[in-house]
Amino acid sequence: MRRTFPNASAADSRSYDSRVDVASLLPVPTPATTAAREVVVRYSSAALVNHCERSFLWSASLGRLKRIQYDAELLYVASMLHDLGLVPAFDNQLAPFEDAGGDVGWVFGAGAGWPAERRDRVKEIIVRHMWHTVDPALDAEGHLLREGTALDISGRNVDTWPADFRAEVLRRCPRLGLVSEFTAAFEDQARRKPGCAAAAAVASGLGARMAANPLNSDAFGAVR
């Protein structure tokens, strides 16, 4: 399932290819991708489901744009499950939500029949999406999900993605009430788990960054 870019040299891997569209990014359906989406739809709000879908599309498209090889099934499953630690069914009262979500990912991988190494990988990707940065040489999928979620939440590096692609993604997966819902979820995490990454995000102005995210703009067909 790893996306590859033949004929790409080391220099090419840092270059951009503006030809990107939703249809070409969707992974080949597997039992794991199908089940991962069923899980997030069962346990998450519509706004969080769309956030997970967009996170995959931003992440996968960044791999295309920067010619970073990635495992499409692994990236999709991690994208679908990465925020399950925020929902009541999987919230851990002590651990940061990304750790709780990573544990869900590991258990999901076991149920999918994945070998231990692949279960560990999906957990790593989910945990690392809350890191400030992830080196693509260390973890390509973790890097892509980190950057994709950063775009969807705070609009970081928004101009990296072509405007027409952003509009296509937002038409497909509108933002709905993500700003208020996600901010409230992080504030709840911060109150109960001081010292976690969510608490640091709240302290540094997460709510204001989300409200100012260019993806909320009517120019991209989004709905707050």
Side-chain angles (χ1 to χ4, degrees), residues 96-208:
F97 86 93
E98 65 271 23
D99 290 352
D103 288 336
V104 173
W106 196 98
V107 172
F108 177 91
W114 286 0
E117 181 180 3
R118 193 165 180 81
R119 299 174 213 167
D120 290 341
R121 283 291 298 123
V122 75
K123 178 175 179 175
E124 289 172 345
I125 295 162
I126 292 171
V127 169
R128 289 171 180 168
H129 94 273
M130 284 298 292
W131 287 13
H132 181 65
T133 60
V134 180
D135 184 347
L138 167 71
D139 181 352
E141 292 80 15
H143 168 76
L144 294 174
L145 186 59
R146 171 64 188 120
E147 297 305 310
T149 55
L151 167 65
D152 206 61
I153 294 303
S154 63
R156 189 166 80 173
N157 298 324
V158 64
D159 290 333
T160 297
W161 288 263
D164 58 346
F165 177 71
R166 299 197 305 263
E168 180 186 6
V169 171
L170 290 165
R171 283 192 298 269
R172 179 187 178 94
C173 306
R175 290 176 71 76
L176 305 177
L178 182 69
V179 174
S180 57
E181 181 178 334
F182 198 88
T183 300
F186 262 45
E187 289 173 346
D188 176 63
Q189 293 283 313
R191 281 191 298 270
R192 293 187 288 112
K193 306 169 190 177
C196 70
V202 170
S204 66
L206 172 74

Side-chain angles (χ1 to χ4, degrees), residues 5-83:
F5 300 94
N7 305 320
S9 65
D12 290 334
S13 69
R14 295 189 296 271
S15 66
Y16 286 72
D17 180 351
S18 62
R19 295 166 297 177
V20 62
D21 62 273
V22 168
S24 68
L25 295 169
L26 296 176
V28 175
T30 67
T33 62
T34 300
R37 192 175 192 286
E38 289 177 355
V39 168
V40 73
V41 169
R42 171 66 177 82
Y43 288 101
S44 301
S45 68
L48 274 181
V49 171
N50 282 9
H51 164 63
C52 292
E53 292 276 15
R54 288 192 309 273
S55 294
F56 169 75
L57 292 171
W58 303 137
S59 302
S61 59
L62 186 65
R64 174 79 58 82
L65 290 166
K66 291 193 172 182
R67 295 177 177 249
I68 297 172
Q69 296 183 20
Y70 65 91
D71 183 314
E73 180 186 57
L74 189 60
L75 181 60
Y76 185 84
V77 169
S79 298
M80 293 302 102
L81 305 182
H82 80 276
D83 276 343

